[in-house]
Amino acid sequence: DAGVTQSPTHLIKTRGQHVTLRCSPISGHKSVSWYQQVLGQGPQFIFQYYEKEERGRGNFPDRFSARQFPNYSSELNVNALLLGDSALYLCASSFPGQGSSYEQYFGPGTRLTVT
Amino acid sequence: LAKTTQPISMDSYEGQEVNITCSHNNIATNDYITWYQQFPSQGPRFIIQGYKTKVTNEVASLFIPADRKSSTLSLPRVSLSDTAVYYCLVLNYGGSQGNLIFGKGTKLSVKP
């Protein structure tokens, strides 16, 4: 079975631009979470979506938004990019029917560089 | 949420057993201890989870004393491919928070 997939793998943007990152969960998984990981730090939680509804939001500004589609894939949008948004953005999915978070399956991430 | 403390880094040699200890003094009754592994440029991967005593799987063992204020991840006979960052997390099982709170983790370097 295919794991969690993310696109694109790498992205370079300029300050002030916006970006859309995409994630496809493991087949049958209904929960998708997004994380930001800056160099040298652990991943930081941004959003969780379950059955197309937002179930949690981390401490990130309103420039960050996300949505989940009927096929359970998800998009993360970031507006008005700042240099500090440069990071690895990770998507994770978890089993159907489980809102619990203990075992999440992570994708390879999207490396975003803001110049 | 219970805060975790673990060493920033550890060094080992191939074939040795590695033990990484995590402190979680404020762990709650419904909390489970969970460990993730992350290789460079990859997403974290679930390794093991436990509530008390000892849990073992094909990858590692997890030792949790009776007071549950700490836990130890044990990696038997490490190889170069075990070089990674290891994260200790305390999670409320069954909670619908849907998020994982990562610290900085322990960077394990395995040398030949």
Side-chain angles (χ1 to χ4, degrees), chain A residues 33 35 37 45 100-102 104, chain B residues 36 38 49 95-96 98-100:
Chain A
S33 295
Y35 295 81
Q37 186 173 26
F45 171 72
S100 62
S101 58
Y102 80 94
Q104 294 192 6
Chain B
Y36 275 74
Q38 186 176 24
Q49 183 191 58
S96 60
N99 70 79
L100 300 176

Side-chain angles (χ1 to χ4, degrees), chain A residues 33 35 37 40-45 48 55-56 88 90 98-108 111, chain B residues 34 36 38 41-46 49 87 91-105:
Chain A
S33 295
Y35 295 81
Q37 186 173 26
Q41 304 292 320
Q44 300 299 304
F45 171 72
Q48 188 218 6
R55 293 290 292 270
L88 180 67
L90 295 161
Q98 277 193 354
S100 62
S101 58
Y102 80 94
E103 187 166 359
Q104 294 192 6
Y105 295 81
F106 284 81
R111 173 70 64 185
Chain B
T34 306
Y36 275 74
Q38 186 176 24
S41 299
Q42 294 187 25
R45 180 178 75 111
F46 172 85
Q49 183 191 58
Y87 296 97
L91 303 174
N92 183 261
Y93 190 80
S96 60
Q97 298 159 347
N99 70 79
L100 300 176
I101 307 298
F102 290 87
K104 292 186 177 182

